[in-house]
Amino acid sequence: MATISVGSFVPIPGQTVYLSDKASTRFGGRLIRLLITGESKPSADEARRGHTAASADWLAISGYELGPHGERLRHHRDLVVFAPAIVIGGDPGVRQTR
């Protein structure tokens, strides 16, 4: 059975996440599926405030945008997203501590 988790998680490499315009206005109302390829980090602003990925509201994530058949369309590096709006399919990864 598939598991869907919404927000308050730090994605880990190998996970597939779904991002909408709630995660970043950059997506202009479309939902994208992203295969995480690197460790999630706090955004630059959050890091300056001393936050870790587990305590940040904004994360910098990297991964491949996936097409409708799972094909890799383009790589996004350090894409800044609102952590509570990330939707994760499968194992939820690391829960944020708040």
Side-chain angles (χ1 to χ4, degrees), residues 35-54:
L35 173 63
I36 302 297
T37 58
E39 294 296 322
S40 298
K41 311 178 279 195
S43 70
D45 287 340
E46 296 271 6
R48 275 193 292 277
R49 293 184 186 110
H51 293 161
T52 65

Side-chain angles (χ1 to χ4, degrees), residues 25-42:
T25 56
R26 174 180 180 167
F27 305 128
R30 68 184 178 102
L31 182 70
I32 71 161
R33 188 166 53 143
L34 194 74
L35 173 63
I36 302 297
T37 58
E39 294 296 322
S40 298
K41 311 178 279 195

Side-chain angles (χ1 to χ4, degrees), residues 4-97:
I4 301 294
S5 301
V6 180
S8 298
F9 296 94
V10 177
I12 56 178
Q15 282 185 319
T16 299
V17 300
Y18 299 87
L19 305 170
S20 70
D21 56 353
K22 291 180 180 165
S24 173
T25 56
R26 174 180 180 167
F27 305 128
R30 68 184 178 102
L31 182 70
I32 71 161
R33 188 166 53 143
L34 194 74
L35 173 63
I36 302 297
T37 58
E39 294 296 322
S40 298
K41 311 178 279 195
S43 70
D45 287 340
E46 296 271 6
R48 275 193 292 277
R49 293 184 186 110
H51 293 161
T52 65
S55 66
D57 284 332
W58 291 90
L59 296 174
I61 61 176
S62 297
Y64 282 100
E65 183 176 345
L66 300 176
H69 304 290
E71 69 277 15
R72 294 176 178 185
L73 300 177
R74 67 185 62 89
H75 190 258
H76 296 276
R77 181 178 300 273
D78 292 332
L79 182 63
V80 177
V81 296
F82 186 55
I86 297 171
V87 177
I88 298 176
D91 181 10
V94 179
R95 181 176 278 286
Q96 287 185 332
T97 55

